[in-house]
Short mmCIF file of all heavy atoms in Angstrom, two decimals:
data_model
loop_
_atom_site.label_atom_id
_atom_site.label_comp_id
_atom_site.label_asym_id
_atom_site.label_seq_id
_atom_site.Cartn_x
_atom_site.Cartn_y
_atom_site.Cartn_z
N MET A 16 -10.12 -5.98 30.52
CA MET A 16 -10.51 -7.00 29.58
C MET A 16 -9.19 -7.72 29.14
O MET A 16 -8.30 -7.13 28.72
CB MET A 16 -11.23 -6.40 28.40
CG MET A 16 -11.78 -7.41 27.43
SD MET A 16 -12.45 -6.62 26.02
CE MET A 16 -13.67 -5.52 26.70
N LEU A 32 -3.70 -9.42 -10.60
CA LEU A 32 -3.65 -9.06 -12.01
C LEU A 32 -4.41 -10.04 -12.96
O LEU A 32 -4.95 -9.64 -13.98
CB LEU A 32 -2.20 -8.90 -12.51
CG LEU A 32 -1.42 -7.78 -11.79
CD1 LEU A 32 0.08 -7.95 -12.15
CD2 LEU A 32 -1.96 -6.42 -12.18
N ASP A 33 -4.27 -11.33 -12.63
CA ASP A 33 -4.85 -12.35 -13.46
C ASP A 33 -5.59 -13.33 -12.51
O ASP A 33 -4.96 -14.07 -11.84
CB ASP A 33 -3.74 -13.08 -14.25
CG ASP A 33 -4.21 -14.18 -15.10
OD1 ASP A 33 -5.26 -14.77 -14.83
OD2 ASP A 33 -3.56 -14.49 -16.10
N GLU A 75 -9.90 -9.29 -9.35
CA GLU A 75 -8.95 -8.93 -10.47
C GLU A 75 -8.93 -7.36 -10.62
O GLU A 75 -10.04 -6.72 -10.62
CB GLU A 75 -9.33 -9.58 -11.78
CG GLU A 75 -8.33 -9.38 -12.90
CD GLU A 75 -8.57 -10.30 -14.09
OE1 GLU A 75 -8.36 -11.49 -13.99
OE2 GLU A 75 -9.04 -9.79 -15.14
N PRO A 77 -6.13 -3.76 -11.91
CA PRO A 77 -4.89 -3.41 -12.68
C PRO A 77 -3.66 -3.24 -11.73
O PRO A 77 -2.55 -3.20 -12.23
CB PRO A 77 -5.21 -2.05 -13.33
CG PRO A 77 -6.69 -1.81 -13.12
CD PRO A 77 -7.13 -2.69 -11.98
N GLU A 78 -3.85 -3.17 -10.41
CA GLU A 78 -2.79 -3.12 -9.53
C GLU A 78 -2.95 -4.12 -8.42
O GLU A 78 -3.99 -4.10 -7.76
CB GLU A 78 -2.75 -1.70 -8.82
CG GLU A 78 -2.51 -0.50 -9.74
CD GLU A 78 -2.62 0.79 -9.01
OE1 GLU A 78 -2.52 0.78 -7.70
OE2 GLU A 78 -2.79 1.81 -9.68
N PRO A 79 -1.96 -4.94 -8.11
CA PRO A 79 -2.07 -5.84 -7.03
C PRO A 79 -1.97 -5.12 -5.62
O PRO A 79 -1.71 -3.89 -5.63
CB PRO A 79 -0.90 -6.84 -7.18
CG PRO A 79 0.08 -6.09 -7.98
CD PRO A 79 -0.67 -5.08 -8.83
N ASP A 174 3.24 4.92 6.57
CA ASP A 174 4.11 6.05 7.06
C ASP A 174 3.73 6.37 8.55
O ASP A 174 4.68 6.44 9.38
CB ASP A 174 3.90 7.31 6.19
CG ASP A 174 2.42 7.73 6.06
OD1 ASP A 174 1.53 7.03 6.47
OD2 ASP A 174 2.15 8.81 5.38
N ASP A 175 2.52 6.58 8.87
CA ASP A 175 2.17 7.03 10.24
C ASP A 175 1.96 5.81 11.15
O ASP A 175 0.82 5.49 11.56
CB ASP A 175 0.95 7.97 10.24
CG ASP A 175 0.77 8.54 11.66
OD1 ASP A 175 1.51 8.28 12.62
OD2 ASP A 175 -0.27 9.26 11.76
N ASP A 177 2.80 5.33 14.18
CA ASP A 177 2.38 5.68 15.54
C ASP A 177 0.85 5.76 15.56
O ASP A 177 0.21 5.27 16.53
CB ASP A 177 3.05 6.92 16.02
CG ASP A 177 4.53 6.91 15.88
OD1 ASP A 177 5.15 5.99 16.46
OD2 ASP A 177 5.05 7.73 15.19
N ARG A 181 -1.71 3.39 17.60
CA ARG A 181 -2.62 3.89 18.58
C ARG A 181 -4.08 3.53 18.30
O ARG A 181 -4.79 3.18 19.26
CB ARG A 181 -2.48 5.50 18.63
CG ARG A 181 -3.14 6.15 19.83
CD ARG A 181 -2.93 7.70 19.88
NE ARG A 181 -1.53 8.04 19.77
CZ ARG A 181 -1.06 8.66 18.71
NH1 ARG A 181 -1.79 9.01 17.70
NH2 ARG A 181 0.23 8.96 18.72
N ARG A 184 -4.40 -0.04 19.45
CA ARG A 184 -4.36 -0.26 20.92
C ARG A 184 -5.49 0.47 21.69
O ARG A 184 -6.12 -0.11 22.51
CB ARG A 184 -3.01 0.29 21.46
CG ARG A 184 -1.84 -0.49 20.94
CD ARG A 184 -0.50 0.03 21.38
NE ARG A 184 -0.24 -0.45 22.79
CZ ARG A 184 0.79 -0.07 23.49
NH1 ARG A 184 1.65 0.86 22.96
NH2 ARG A 184 1.02 -0.47 24.71
N GLU A 188 -8.43 -2.15 21.09
CA GLU A 188 -8.07 -2.93 22.35
C GLU A 188 -7.07 -4.07 22.05
O GLU A 188 -7.18 -5.10 22.72
CB GLU A 188 -9.36 -3.41 23.04
CG GLU A 188 -10.35 -2.28 23.43
CD GLU A 188 -11.70 -2.70 23.90
OE1 GLU A 188 -12.31 -3.54 23.32
OE2 GLU A 188 -12.06 -2.17 24.94
N ASP A 190 -3.28 -5.63 21.99
CA ASP A 190 -2.05 -5.52 22.83
C ASP A 190 -0.82 -5.42 21.93
O ASP A 190 -0.73 -6.15 20.85
CB ASP A 190 -1.83 -6.76 23.73
CG ASP A 190 -2.90 -6.82 24.85
OD1 ASP A 190 -3.41 -5.80 25.26
OD2 ASP A 190 -3.09 -7.98 25.34
N GLN A 194 7.97 -4.99 19.50
CA GLN A 194 8.24 -3.72 18.79
C GLN A 194 9.62 -3.71 18.32
O GLN A 194 10.53 -4.27 18.94
CB GLN A 194 7.91 -2.55 19.71
CG GLN A 194 8.78 -2.52 20.97
CD GLN A 194 8.34 -1.48 22.02
OE1 GLN A 194 7.53 -0.59 21.68
NE2 GLN A 194 8.84 -1.55 23.17
N MET A 196 12.58 -0.91 17.67
CA MET A 196 12.88 0.47 18.02
C MET A 196 14.19 0.91 17.40
O MET A 196 15.21 0.23 17.43
CB MET A 196 12.95 0.56 19.53
CG MET A 196 11.74 0.26 20.36
SD MET A 196 10.27 1.18 19.87
CE MET A 196 10.79 2.84 20.31
N GLU A 199 14.41 6.13 19.99
CA GLU A 199 13.09 6.31 20.57
C GLU A 199 11.97 6.18 19.54
O GLU A 199 10.75 6.31 19.83
CB GLU A 199 13.03 7.73 21.18
CG GLU A 199 13.94 7.96 22.34
CD GLU A 199 13.59 7.01 23.48
OE1 GLU A 199 12.43 7.06 23.94
OE2 GLU A 199 14.41 6.25 23.96
N LEU A 200 12.35 5.84 18.25
CA LEU A 200 11.33 5.82 17.21
C LEU A 200 10.94 4.35 16.97
O LEU A 200 11.79 3.49 16.67
CB LEU A 200 11.98 6.36 15.96
CG LEU A 200 11.05 6.42 14.64
CD1 LEU A 200 9.93 7.44 14.89
CD2 LEU A 200 11.88 6.77 13.39
N VAL A 202 9.69 1.58 14.79
CA VAL A 202 9.66 1.36 13.31
C VAL A 202 8.95 0.02 13.01
O VAL A 202 8.61 -0.19 11.82
CB VAL A 202 11.12 1.36 12.69
CG1 VAL A 202 11.71 2.75 12.85
CG2 VAL A 202 11.96 0.28 13.33
N ILE A 218 4.94 -2.08 9.74
CA ILE A 218 6.30 -1.55 9.65
C ILE A 218 6.30 -0.11 8.99
O ILE A 218 5.53 0.20 8.13
CB ILE A 218 7.14 -2.43 8.69
CG1 ILE A 218 7.31 -3.85 9.29
CG2 ILE A 218 8.57 -1.84 8.44
CD1 ILE A 218 8.18 -4.03 10.45
N ARG A 219 7.14 0.71 9.60
CA ARG A 219 7.17 2.11 9.15
C ARG A 219 7.85 2.18 7.73
O ARG A 219 8.82 1.51 7.42
CB ARG A 219 8.02 2.98 10.10
CG ARG A 219 8.01 4.49 9.78
CD ARG A 219 8.87 5.21 10.75
NE ARG A 219 8.50 5.24 12.07
CZ ARG A 219 7.48 6.03 12.60
NH1 ARG A 219 6.87 6.89 11.80
NH2 ARG A 219 7.13 5.96 13.85
N HIS A 220 7.21 2.94 6.80
CA HIS A 220 7.60 2.93 5.44
C HIS A 220 7.22 4.34 4.89
O HIS A 220 6.36 4.98 5.37
CB HIS A 220 6.83 1.85 4.72
CG HIS A 220 7.16 1.65 3.29
ND1 HIS A 220 8.35 1.26 2.83
CD2 HIS A 220 6.35 1.79 2.21
CE1 HIS A 220 8.29 1.15 1.50
NE2 HIS A 220 7.16 1.50 1.07
N ALA A 221 7.96 4.70 3.83
CA ALA A 221 7.78 6.05 3.28
C ALA A 221 6.37 6.26 2.71
O ALA A 221 5.80 7.39 2.68
CB ALA A 221 8.85 6.36 2.20
N ASP A 250 7.65 -24.16 -9.21
CA ASP A 250 8.31 -22.97 -9.68
C ASP A 250 7.68 -21.69 -9.20
O ASP A 250 7.51 -20.73 -9.99
CB ASP A 250 8.49 -23.04 -11.22
CG ASP A 250 9.65 -22.19 -11.66
OD1 ASP A 250 10.60 -21.83 -10.84
OD2 ASP A 250 9.66 -21.73 -12.89
N PRO A 252 7.65 -18.28 -7.25
CA PRO A 252 8.71 -17.39 -6.88
C PRO A 252 8.99 -17.28 -5.38
O PRO A 252 8.06 -16.97 -4.59
CB PRO A 252 8.20 -15.98 -7.35
CG PRO A 252 7.23 -16.28 -8.48
CD PRO A 252 6.55 -17.58 -7.99
N LEU A 253 10.09 -17.73 -4.99
CA LEU A 253 10.49 -17.78 -3.54
C LEU A 253 11.01 -16.41 -3.14
O LEU A 253 11.69 -15.72 -3.87
CB LEU A 253 11.61 -18.79 -3.34
CG LEU A 253 12.22 -18.97 -1.91
CD1 LEU A 253 11.20 -19.51 -0.97
CD2 LEU A 253 13.49 -19.74 -1.97
N PHE A 271 5.69 -15.58 -3.39
CA PHE A 271 4.83 -14.61 -4.08
C PHE A 271 3.75 -15.28 -4.86
O PHE A 271 3.93 -16.35 -5.46
CB PHE A 271 5.66 -13.73 -4.98
CG PHE A 271 6.66 -12.82 -4.29
CD1 PHE A 271 7.96 -13.13 -4.22
CD2 PHE A 271 6.25 -11.61 -3.68
CE1 PHE A 271 8.92 -12.40 -3.54
CE2 PHE A 271 7.20 -10.80 -3.05
CZ PHE A 271 8.48 -11.16 -3.01
N PRO A 273 1.07 -15.09 -8.14
CA PRO A 273 1.39 -14.76 -9.57
C PRO A 273 1.33 -13.20 -9.87
O PRO A 273 1.79 -12.78 -10.94
CB PRO A 273 0.41 -15.53 -10.38
CG PRO A 273 -0.01 -16.64 -9.44
CD PRO A 273 -0.04 -16.03 -8.13
N SER A 274 0.74 -12.43 -8.99
CA SER A 274 0.68 -10.98 -9.18
C SER A 274 1.66 -10.23 -8.25
O SER A 274 1.64 -9.00 -8.22
CB SER A 274 -0.74 -10.39 -8.86
OG SER A 274 -1.67 -11.18 -9.56
N GLY A 275 2.48 -10.96 -7.58
CA GLY A 275 3.49 -10.26 -6.78
C GLY A 275 3.07 -10.01 -5.30
O GLY A 275 3.91 -9.35 -4.64
N ALA A 289 -2.42 -11.09 28.48
CA ALA A 289 -2.53 -9.63 28.58
C ALA A 289 -1.70 -9.04 29.67
O ALA A 289 -1.47 -7.81 29.65
CB ALA A 289 -4.03 -9.22 28.76
N LEU A 301 18.89 -5.89 13.92
CA LEU A 301 17.68 -6.22 13.14
C LEU A 301 17.83 -7.50 12.32
O LEU A 301 16.85 -8.17 12.15
CB LEU A 301 17.36 -5.04 12.22
CG LEU A 301 16.07 -5.08 11.49
CD1 LEU A 301 14.89 -5.00 12.57
CD2 LEU A 301 15.94 -3.92 10.52
N ARG A 315 15.25 -7.48 -0.35
CA ARG A 315 14.01 -7.78 -1.08
C ARG A 315 12.91 -7.98 0.00
O ARG A 315 11.85 -7.43 -0.13
CB ARG A 315 14.12 -9.05 -1.95
CG ARG A 315 12.76 -9.37 -2.61
CD ARG A 315 13.01 -10.42 -3.66
NE ARG A 315 13.41 -11.69 -3.08
CZ ARG A 315 14.26 -12.54 -3.74
NH1 ARG A 315 14.73 -12.28 -4.89
NH2 ARG A 315 14.55 -13.66 -3.16
N VAL A 319 10.34 -4.95 -0.79
CA VAL A 319 9.42 -5.30 -1.90
C VAL A 319 8.00 -5.41 -1.28
O VAL A 319 7.77 -6.19 -0.40
CB VAL A 319 9.82 -6.60 -2.57
CG1 VAL A 319 8.65 -7.10 -3.39
CG2 VAL A 319 11.01 -6.30 -3.47
N VAL A 320 7.07 -4.60 -1.77
CA VAL A 320 5.68 -4.54 -1.31
C VAL A 320 4.77 -4.31 -2.45
O VAL A 320 5.22 -3.84 -3.60
CB VAL A 320 5.46 -3.43 -0.23
CG1 VAL A 320 6.11 -3.72 1.04
CG2 VAL A 320 5.93 -2.06 -0.72
N LYS B 54 13.27 -14.05 -15.76
CA LYS B 54 13.39 -15.52 -15.49
C LYS B 54 14.66 -16.04 -16.20
O LYS B 54 15.40 -16.91 -15.65
CB LYS B 54 12.14 -16.17 -16.09
CG LYS B 54 12.12 -17.71 -15.88
CD LYS B 54 11.57 -18.03 -14.54
CE LYS B 54 11.51 -19.51 -14.37
NZ LYS B 54 11.14 -19.86 -13.02
N VAL B 66 15.85 -8.26 -8.64
CA VAL B 66 14.76 -9.20 -8.61
C VAL B 66 13.85 -8.93 -7.41
O VAL B 66 14.29 -8.91 -6.24
CB VAL B 66 15.32 -10.66 -8.55
CG1 VAL B 66 14.16 -11.68 -8.44
CG2 VAL B 66 16.18 -10.93 -9.74
N GLY B 67 12.53 -8.84 -7.66
CA GLY B 67 11.60 -8.64 -6.62
C GLY B 67 10.57 -9.77 -6.62
O GLY B 67 10.92 -10.91 -6.36
N CYS B 68 9.32 -9.42 -6.85
CA CYS B 68 8.21 -10.44 -6.67
C CYS B 68 8.15 -11.35 -7.87
O CYS B 68 7.46 -12.39 -7.77
CB CYS B 68 6.91 -9.66 -6.50
SG CYS B 68 6.24 -8.83 -7.99
N ARG B 69 8.61 -11.01 -9.02
CA ARG B 69 8.56 -11.77 -10.28
C ARG B 69 7.12 -11.98 -10.81
O ARG B 69 6.93 -12.86 -11.60
CB ARG B 69 9.22 -13.21 -10.09
CG ARG B 69 10.70 -13.10 -10.00
CD ARG B 69 11.14 -13.09 -8.54
NE ARG B 69 11.79 -14.25 -8.12
CZ ARG B 69 11.84 -14.60 -6.76
NH1 ARG B 69 11.41 -13.87 -5.83
NH2 ARG B 69 12.47 -15.77 -6.52
N GLY B 70 6.20 -11.14 -10.34
CA GLY B 70 4.77 -11.22 -10.74
C GLY B 70 4.30 -9.97 -11.33
O GLY B 70 3.07 -9.84 -11.47
N GLY B 71 5.04 -8.99 -11.60
CA GLY B 71 4.54 -7.72 -12.15
C GLY B 71 3.94 -6.83 -11.07
O GLY B 71 3.22 -5.88 -11.42
N GLY B 72 4.17 -7.03 -9.76
CA GLY B 72 3.54 -6.33 -8.73
C GLY B 72 4.38 -5.28 -8.05
O GLY B 72 3.85 -4.22 -7.62
N CYS B 73 5.66 -5.50 -7.93
CA CYS B 73 6.46 -4.63 -7.06
C CYS B 73 7.23 -3.53 -7.74
O CYS B 73 7.66 -2.55 -7.09
CB CYS B 73 7.44 -5.48 -6.15
SG CYS B 73 8.83 -6.13 -7.01
N VAL B 75 10.28 -3.56 -8.95
CA VAL B 75 11.76 -3.50 -8.78
C VAL B 75 12.57 -3.74 -9.98
O VAL B 75 13.61 -3.19 -10.18
CB VAL B 75 12.11 -4.53 -7.62
CG1 VAL B 75 13.59 -4.89 -7.64
CG2 VAL B 75 11.68 -4.01 -6.30
N ARG B 89 0.69 -9.08 -18.09
CA ARG B 89 0.12 -8.00 -17.25
C ARG B 89 1.05 -7.59 -16.12
O ARG B 89 1.70 -8.49 -15.47
CB ARG B 89 -1.15 -8.56 -16.57
CG ARG B 89 -2.24 -8.69 -17.61
CD ARG B 89 -3.59 -9.17 -16.87
NE ARG B 89 -4.36 -9.94 -17.80
CZ ARG B 89 -5.50 -10.56 -17.48
NH1 ARG B 89 -5.95 -10.50 -16.27
NH2 ARG B 89 -6.16 -11.19 -18.44
N MET B 90 1.13 -6.30 -15.85
CA MET B 90 2.01 -5.76 -14.80
C MET B 90 1.26 -4.68 -14.17
O MET B 90 0.31 -4.07 -14.78
CB MET B 90 3.33 -5.37 -15.32
CG MET B 90 3.30 -4.37 -16.37
SD MET B 90 4.95 -4.16 -17.23
CE MET B 90 4.81 -5.29 -18.64
N SER B 91 1.58 -4.30 -12.96
CA SER B 91 0.86 -3.34 -12.12
C SER B 91 0.89 -1.97 -12.77
O SER B 91 1.94 -1.43 -13.05
CB SER B 91 1.50 -3.28 -10.73
OG SER B 91 0.79 -2.16 -10.02
N ARG B 92 -0.32 -1.41 -12.88
CA ARG B 92 -0.42 0.03 -13.43
C ARG B 92 0.20 1.01 -12.42
O ARG B 92 0.50 2.16 -12.82
CB ARG B 92 -1.92 0.30 -13.58
CG ARG B 92 -2.60 -0.57 -14.58
CD ARG B 92 -2.50 -0.01 -15.95
NE ARG B 92 -3.15 1.33 -16.13
CZ ARG B 92 -3.20 1.98 -17.25
NH1 ARG B 92 -2.66 1.46 -18.31
NH2 ARG B 92 -3.80 3.15 -17.32
N ALA B 93 0.40 0.57 -11.20
CA ALA B 93 1.04 1.46 -10.25
C ALA B 93 2.48 1.75 -10.64
O ALA B 93 3.03 2.74 -10.18
CB ALA B 93 0.95 0.90 -8.81
N CYS B 125 16.46 4.38 -4.24
CA CYS B 125 16.44 3.55 -3.07
C CYS B 125 15.67 4.19 -1.95
O CYS B 125 16.13 5.25 -1.36
CB CYS B 125 17.86 3.18 -2.71
SG CYS B 125 17.98 1.85 -1.56
N LEU B 128 15.12 2.80 4.50
CA LEU B 128 14.49 1.80 5.36
C LEU B 128 13.67 2.48 6.44
O LEU B 128 14.07 3.46 7.08
CB LEU B 128 15.64 0.94 5.99
CG LEU B 128 15.21 -0.29 6.76
CD1 LEU B 128 14.42 -1.23 5.87
CD2 LEU B 128 16.45 -0.96 7.33
N PHE B 129 12.48 1.97 6.64
CA PHE B 129 11.52 2.50 7.62
C PHE B 129 11.10 3.92 7.32
O PHE B 129 10.67 4.60 8.27
CB PHE B 129 12.13 2.38 9.09
CG PHE B 129 12.55 1.05 9.43
CD1 PHE B 129 13.87 0.80 10.03
CD2 PHE B 129 11.72 -0.02 9.25
CE1 PHE B 129 14.24 -0.44 10.37
CE2 PHE B 129 12.17 -1.34 9.56
CZ PHE B 129 13.39 -1.54 10.13
N GLY B 130 11.09 4.32 6.10
CA GLY B 130 10.57 5.63 5.69
C GLY B 130 11.57 6.67 6.11
O GLY B 130 12.68 6.44 6.69
N ALA B 131 11.26 7.93 5.77
CA ALA B 131 12.20 8.99 6.00
C ALA B 131 12.23 9.39 7.46
O ALA B 131 13.26 9.32 8.05
CB ALA B 131 11.73 10.22 5.09
N ARG B 132 11.10 9.72 8.00
CA ARG B 132 11.13 10.25 9.40
C ARG B 132 9.67 10.22 9.88
O ARG B 132 8.75 9.83 9.15
CB ARG B 132 11.68 11.71 9.47
CG ARG B 132 10.90 12.54 8.50
CD ARG B 132 11.69 13.94 8.35
NE ARG B 132 11.05 14.74 7.35
CZ ARG B 132 10.02 15.53 7.50
NH1 ARG B 132 9.45 15.64 8.66
NH2 ARG B 132 9.55 16.15 6.52
N ARG B 133 9.49 10.65 11.09
CA ARG B 133 8.14 10.59 11.72
C ARG B 133 7.25 11.61 11.02
O ARG B 133 7.59 12.74 10.74
CB ARG B 133 8.26 10.97 13.16
CG ARG B 133 7.00 10.87 13.95
CD ARG B 133 7.09 11.46 15.32
NE ARG B 133 8.30 10.95 16.06
CZ ARG B 133 8.40 9.77 16.60
NH1 ARG B 133 7.29 8.92 16.49
NH2 ARG B 133 9.46 9.36 17.21
N PRO B 134 6.02 11.17 10.62
CA PRO B 134 5.12 12.13 9.98
C PRO B 134 4.72 13.25 10.95
O PRO B 134 4.83 13.04 12.17
CB PRO B 134 3.83 11.21 9.70
CG PRO B 134 4.33 9.83 9.79
CD PRO B 134 5.45 9.86 10.72
N SER B 137 1.92 13.66 14.64
CA SER B 137 1.75 12.31 15.14
C SER B 137 2.70 12.22 16.40
O SER B 137 3.89 12.17 16.28
CB SER B 137 2.12 11.30 14.16
OG SER B 137 2.00 10.03 14.68
N ALA B 138 2.15 12.19 17.55
CA ALA B 138 2.92 12.00 18.76
C ALA B 138 3.49 10.63 18.82
O ALA B 138 2.88 9.66 18.31
CB ALA B 138 2.08 12.24 19.93
N PRO B 139 4.71 10.46 19.37
CA PRO B 139 5.27 9.12 19.35
C PRO B 139 4.55 8.19 20.32
O PRO B 139 4.00 8.66 21.31
CB PRO B 139 6.74 9.34 19.83
CG PRO B 139 6.68 10.67 20.61
CD PRO B 139 5.58 11.52 19.92
N VAL B 140 4.65 6.91 20.05
CA VAL B 140 4.21 5.93 20.96
C VAL B 140 5.40 5.62 21.88
O VAL B 140 6.48 5.39 21.37
CB VAL B 140 3.81 4.66 20.25
CG1 VAL B 140 3.45 3.51 21.28
CG2 VAL B 140 2.59 4.94 19.41
N SER B 141 5.27 5.73 23.13
CA SER B 141 6.35 5.52 24.05
C SER B 141 6.82 4.01 23.97
O SER B 141 5.92 3.19 24.08
CB SER B 141 6.15 5.98 25.40
OG SER B 141 5.07 5.28 25.96
N PRO B 142 8.05 3.77 23.82
CA PRO B 142 8.54 2.39 23.74
C PRO B 142 8.17 1.61 24.95
O PRO B 142 8.41 2.02 26.10
CB PRO B 142 10.04 2.46 23.54
CG PRO B 142 10.42 3.88 24.00
CD PRO B 142 9.16 4.72 23.79
N GLY B 143 7.64 0.46 24.78
CA GLY B 143 7.36 -0.44 25.90
C GLY B 143 6.34 -0.02 26.92
O GLY B 143 6.34 -0.48 28.04
N SER B 144 5.53 0.99 26.51
CA SER B 144 4.60 1.51 27.44
C SER B 144 3.57 0.50 27.78
O SER B 144 3.24 -0.32 26.90
CB SER B 144 3.94 2.84 26.86
OG SER B 144 3.30 2.45 25.71
N PRO B 145 2.96 0.51 28.95
CA PRO B 145 1.92 -0.49 29.27
C PRO B 145 0.71 -0.28 28.35
O PRO B 145 0.55 0.72 27.76
CB PRO B 145 1.65 -0.21 30.70
CG PRO B 145 2.18 1.12 31.02
CD PRO B 145 3.28 1.36 30.05
N ARG B 146 -0.06 -1.31 28.36
CA ARG B 146 -1.30 -1.21 27.53
C ARG B 146 -2.22 0.01 27.96
O ARG B 146 -2.25 0.23 29.19
CB ARG B 146 -2.18 -2.45 27.67
CG ARG B 146 -1.58 -3.64 27.05
CD ARG B 146 -2.51 -4.81 27.02
NE ARG B 146 -3.13 -4.91 28.37
CZ ARG B 146 -4.36 -5.34 28.55
NH1 ARG B 146 -5.14 -5.54 27.54
NH2 ARG B 146 -4.81 -5.50 29.77
N PRO B 147 -2.83 0.57 27.08
CA PRO B 147 -3.81 1.61 27.47
C PRO B 147 -4.86 1.00 28.39
O PRO B 147 -5.20 -0.16 28.25
CB PRO B 147 -4.47 2.09 26.15
CG PRO B 147 -3.60 1.56 25.04
CD PRO B 147 -2.85 0.35 25.56
N LYS B 149 -8.22 -0.09 29.81
CA LYS B 149 -9.43 -0.48 29.15
C LYS B 149 -10.56 -0.35 30.16
O LYS B 149 -10.42 -0.88 31.29
CB LYS B 149 -9.39 -1.88 28.59
CG LYS B 149 -8.36 -1.98 27.45
CD LYS B 149 -8.17 -3.42 27.07
CE LYS B 149 -7.13 -3.50 25.95
NZ LYS B 149 -6.85 -4.94 25.65
#
Side-chain angles (χ1 to χ4, degrees):
Chain A
M16 189 187 299
L32 295 169
D33 179 335
E75 190 167 286
E78 298 175 15
D174 56 353
D175 187 359
D177 308 303
R181 193 176 308 111
R184 295 180 79 184
E188 303 171 310
D190 291 336
Q194 59 188 348
M196 299 301 298
E199 294 297 302
L200 183 67
V202 295
I218 298 289
R219 187 184 294 280
H220 182 65
D250 202 20
L253 175 69
F271 294 98
S274 306
L301 191 62
R315 180 167 64 215
V319 164
V320 289
Chain B
K54 180 87 180 174
V66 177
C68 73
R69 291 91 111 198
C73 75
V75 162
R89 286 182 210 178
M90 58 192 93
S91 174
R92 298 272 299 181
C125 194
L128 189 57
F129 305 132
R132 57 195 169 81
R133 188 188 307 283
S137 178
V140 173
S141 58
S144 60
R146 288 189 313 144
K149 294 173 183 176

